[in-house]
Amino acid sequence: MKGRVRIGLIGAGFIGRSHGLAIRAVNGVFKDCPLAAQAHILADVDPERLKTAGDSLGFAHATTDWREAVDKADAIIIAVPSNAHAEIARRAIAQGKPFLCEKPVGLSSAQAQALGEEAAARSIVNAVGFTYLRSPLVRHARNLVEQGVIGRPLHFYGRHFEDYLASAEAPFSWRLSAAAAGRCGALGDLGCHIISVARSLLGPVAALVGTSAIVHPQRPTQDPAKPLRNVENEDFAAALLRFGDGTPGVIETSRVALGRKMDLTFELIGERGTLRFEAEHMNEIGLYLDDKSGSGFRRLLIDPSHPDYAAFLPAPGHGLGFNDLKTIELKMFLEAIASGQNAYPDLLEAARISRICEAILDSANSGQWVEQPEALSVPQRMKA
């Protein structure tokens, strides 16, 4: 019998529910997964949400105290706002328990780095929830690049646009607070995803110059004494990039892009061909090869030859959704626990991605190029 891993899930909101569904699905989908996930204990500060989610997701236990969840589980999934990550992760590290943390990890790259170093010092397996890196077609694109199908990369364009804050009347939320979400707004919530994909295709970023903007400086609140609150991080950001091999690129991110719901898009142009992907059409990818035929892009539908798709379906083109990507992510986390090796990307990779986000804002403020924007500081221990 497979060893069972009693999962403690902290957070029952949108992303927490996706993790909960993954816990229920993972061993039915991936029959060869080395470990079996058990929905053991769910934690959330909202008692009503906790009861609804706990019942629907089949958790054996529920608590409003996240510490109880860490203490009673074998492995932890952290799916709460960024300001709570560090304390939860440190308790898991202290108890020697593997954990998967949602992105962006903590409130800054320094905090993510410190957690990564503490986990490494104790050999604690960890992973970070960069969902779109789990996509079979994003991984297929990486395989095509590595195989040289499109030839030497010439330039890259990528964006992650959504419109959940497009209206000036959208209320203030924790994502707009530097104390709760960190310095990075659209970059921390969305931009880090397209940065992670760009790095997976082309490697580290060697230099960048950026710009950013707060489009709606104030948002309404439910507090009659203070009906408006200042927005504390950016709504839009963009950067010119130079990757380590010299390939140039552009990335953009926006949480005010009216009409864009889940627009993670990239196009990678090479000497012999071009790849393009749109997450709103996540079950297909475009491939153009310069075969002198004059034909345009080929529309490649997802099929069982692409990473992890066959475990879900034997039929080409039937497609996966967001929650399926979380199921793949959990499978990778369980494999990491079984092997004793971190799943990619781990905490230190997340710290490098956060450094890029911060460097874009630094450049936006200075108007200057930032060299080696991924560079982490010398090893440091997190302050108590």
Side-chain angles (χ1 to χ4, degrees):
M1 179 179 290
K2 294 178 182 177
R4 287 200 166 271
V5 178
R6 299 175 304 161
I7 303 289
L9 173 59
I10 301 172
F14 156 59
I15 202 68
R17 185 172 184 276
S18 291
H19 283 291
L21 292 170
I23 293 168
R24 297 190 66 175
V26 65
N27 293 114
V29 174
F30 295 103
K31 297 184 181 359
D32 295 330
C33 189
L35 296 171
Q38 179 180 339
H40 184 61
I41 184 166
L42 176 66
D44 196 273
V45 295
D46 183 331
E48 184 175 342
R49 183 168 62 189
L50 178 65
K51 184 178 188 317
T52 300
D55 291 345
S56 66
L57 296 173
F59 277 84
H61 308 281
T63 178
T64 55
D65 184 354
W66 64 263
R67 294 169 186 82
E68 182 183 359
V70 174
D71 296 348
K72 291 184 176 179
D74 300 321
I76 315 302
I77 298 176
I78 304 171
V80 292
S82 301
N83 62 335
H85 289 175
E87 190 176 11
I88 298 169
R90 293 182 75 195
R91 192 176 186 92
I93 292 169
Q95 295 184 16
K97 295 178 178 178
F99 62 96
L100 187 161
C101 185
E102 272 301 326
K103 43 53 60 186
V105 176
L107 293 172
S108 66
S109 63
Q111 198 171 79
Q113 179 185 350
L115 287 172
E117 289 165 357
E118 291 186 16
R122 294 283 302 274
S123 298
I124 307 300
V125 169
N126 61 84
V128 179
F130 286 96
T131 311
Y132 304 101
L133 288 180
R134 320 306 181 188
S135 163
L137 285 178
V138 171
R139 291 155 67 195
H140 181 57
R142 178 177 178 174
N143 290 341
L144 292 176
V145 173
E146 291 178 345
Q147 293 163 11
V149 171
I150 66 169
R152 180 173 66 91
L154 300 181
H155 54 90
F156 173 87
Y157 170 74
R159 68 172 180 255
H160 191 156
F161 285 178
E162 296 191 19
D163 69 354
Y164 59 89
L165 288 173
S167 171
E169 300 306 312
F172 191 92
S173 73
W174 70 268
R175 294 187 186 279
L176 288 73
S177 164
R183 177 186 176 195
C184 298
L187 281 163
D189 190 25
L190 307 176
C192 63
H193 281 302
I194 191 60
I195 292 169
S196 74
V197 170
R199 292 175 77 258
S200 76
L201 295 171
L202 291 165
V205 176
L208 62 81
V209 61
T211 187
S212 68
I214 296 177
V215 175
H216 301 301
Q218 292 186 314
R219 295 280 183 177
T221 75
Q222 295 182 338
D223 182 358
K226 192 177 181 181
L228 293 174
R229 182 168 169 181
N230 291 337
V231 173
E232 298 171 356
N233 48 37
E234 83 292 342
D235 293 315
F236 167 85
L240 296 174
L241 310 174
R242 186 174 70 249
F243 293 91
D245 65 355
T247 303
V250 177
I251 63 115
E252 299 177 280
T253 188
S254 173
R255 58 191 184 189
V256 295
L258 196 62
R260 301 297 184 179
K261 305 305 178 184
M262 218 323 291
D263 182 22
L264 184 148
T265 293
F266 69 80
E267 191 159 302
L268 177 58
I269 290 86
E271 282 186 317
R272 295 199 297 272
T274 296
L275 283 165
R276 68 182 183 192
F277 173 81
E278 301 175 24
E280 290 181 350
H281 304 277
M282 66 181 290
N283 290 296
E284 61 185 71
I285 195 166
L287 174 64
Y288 177 83
L289 295 177
D290 187 17
D291 58 6
K292 312 305 180 186
S293 67
S295 61
F297 277 86
R298 293 167 54 202
R299 178 170 168 255
L300 306 181
L301 295 179
I302 196 167
D303 71 45
S305 72
H306 301 138
D308 284 328
Y309 176 76
F312 291 88
L313 291 163
H318 284 52
L320 302 183
F322 180 88
N323 289 333
D324 298 319
L325 302 189
K326 282 302 187 190
T327 302
I328 295 171
E329 183 172 273
L330 180 56
K331 184 264 294 190
M332 292 178 170
F333 181 45
L334 293 171
E335 290 174 338
I337 296 171
S339 69
Q341 301 294 319
N342 293 348
Y344 177 86
D346 61 10
L347 291 167
L348 290 177
E349 279 295 287
R352 294 182 183 96
I353 292 169
S354 289
R355 274 293 304 127
I356 293 172
C357 294
E358 292 164 354
I360 292 171
L361 297 181
D362 290 342
S363 175
N365 290 334
S366 71
Q368 303 296 313
W369 279 82
V370 176
E371 300 290 333
Q372 302 303 320
E374 295 188 19
L376 299 179
S377 61
V378 295
Q380 55 182 288
R381 290 197 61 81
M382 180 176 291
K383 297 179 181 178

